[in-house]
Amino acid sequence: MIRWMLLIFVLLVLLNSATGVIRKVGLGSLPGDFTFRLLGREVFLPCASAVLVTVLLFSTIKLLAWLF
């Protein structure tokens, strides 16, 4: 249980630190990506971008597995 909580914490920290890079690439402006203010901080939830990246990675892995 503690490992899962630690993993989720680390992933959230990485996601929060990569927000600037995500926006420069253009993934933060898709419909379904949410940005809101909470306690004076800007919170960014890239739901649509995460789905898009997952589909692209899955397709790439399947293509590579099919080729080799």
Side-chain angles (χ1 to χ4, degrees):
M1 179 74 174
I2 193 78
R3 289 182 186 174
W4 285 107
M5 290 174 59
L6 183 62
L7 178 66
I8 290 171
F9 175 75
V10 169
L11 289 175
L12 287 174
V13 168
L14 290 175
L15 176 70
N16 194 18
S17 64
T19 301
V21 176
I22 290 172
R23 288 186 181 170
K24 285 182 183 177
V25 174
L27 288 177
S29 60
L30 294 174
D33 292 339
F34 303 106
T35 304
F36 57 92
R37 289 205 172 270
L38 182 66
L39 299 174
R41 298 194 69 172
E42 187 174 331
V43 179
F44 176 63
L45 296 173
C47 297
S49 297
V51 170
L52 179 66
V53 169
T54 302
V55 168
L56 289 175
L57 284 174
F58 180 75
S59 299
T60 304
I61 290 170
K62 289 296 262 187
L63 179 66
L64 289 174
W66 181 72
L67 289 175
F68 298 108

